[in-house]
Amino acid sequence: GARLQSIVGLLRGRFRLSHRDIPEAMEVLFGVDMGLGTTTGIQRRLTAALDEPYKEAALHIRGAPCRHADGTGWTEQHKTRWLWLMATNAVAVFHIQGGRGKAQAQDLLDTEGDQTVTDRYAAYHRLLDENHQFSWAHLLRELQAMIERGSSSAWYGERLRLAAGR
């Protein structure tokens, strides 16, 4: 049923259990005897079922007046990938890509005229200045690093952090 399929999706997507571990978890947790092929079939159906809502969410974010973007390292099948995030206050979309370069960022940010909040990673420099805002969380972290460096960096970092607080 739908709940069992949702649990399989949760175990694989969120908790990152392997294809082989999911049937064992289903047996231990719910007493459900499930073969490896069943797990794979469920994942394929879930992917197909979520394709249209995913596209709608991505389209919503691309058209939003303000959105946030970020990327972080991600391991998939023992290979380094990048997990990209685009989000508004109401919607978040994650996308896994093979790299974290300008091409991948452009694919993610393929819009003009919207306000986009990011960290200061160079791949985001293609955004127009009037449409680009740096994340306060990232800036405050950098100011804290200035403070922790000591000497004159600490003096400037502390004043900048106080100004940011105002």
Side-chain angles (χ1 to χ4, degrees):
R3 278 190 247 168
L4 184 132
Q5 291 182 59
S6 297
I7 292 168
V8 168
L10 180 68
L11 292 175
R12 179 69 181 141
R14 171 62 182 89
F15 296 112
R16 301 182 75 185
L17 266 62
S18 71
H19 290 279
R20 297 194 182 282
D21 288 341
I22 291 172
E24 181 180 348
M26 296 302 288
E27 175 68 39
V28 170
L29 294 171
F30 305 108
V32 174
D33 184 23
M34 179 181 291
L36 189 59
T38 302
T39 302
T40 302
I42 289 172
Q43 286 184 261
R44 285 189 183 126
R45 286 192 297 280
L46 286 173
T47 299
L50 293 173
D51 186 56
E52 196 57 38
Y54 177 89
K55 288 177 182 175
E56 288 177 23
L59 187 62
H60 168 80
I61 290 171
R62 289 180 192 274
C66 181
R67 62 181 180 252
H68 298 256
D70 202 4
T72 190
W74 183 266
T75 303
E76 190 173 84
Q77 297 177 346
H78 307 289
K79 295 179 184 173
T80 301
R81 302 282 188 246
W82 290 95
L83 177 66
W84 291 86
L85 163 72
M86 286 291 291
T88 66
N89 288 341
V91 178
V93 170
F94 295 90
H95 185 73
I96 298 172
Q97 292 186 331
R100 191 180 184 223
K102 289 181 181 179
Q104 289 85 11
Q106 183 162 346
D107 182 44
L108 188 71
L109 304 171
D110 189 22
T111 62
E112 294 295 334
D114 296 312
Q115 189 71 27
T116 303
V117 181
T118 71
D119 59 19
R120 295 186 323 133
Y121 181 58
Y124 302 127
H125 290 177
R126 69 167 281 283
L127 293 167
L128 299 173
D129 286 343
E130 62 268 18
N131 299 343
H132 191 194
Q133 178 179 327
F134 294 126
S135 160
W136 276 107
H138 287 92
L139 290 173
L140 291 173
R141 192 176 328 147
E142 291 175 16
L143 295 176
Q144 184 62 40
M146 285 177 70
I147 293 167
E148 291 172 6
R149 268 196 299 273
S151 77
S152 64
S153 289
W155 187 86
Y156 286 108
E158 184 62 39
R159 270 127 199 96
L160 288 168
R161 186 176 67 178
L162 290 171
R166 286 192 297 273

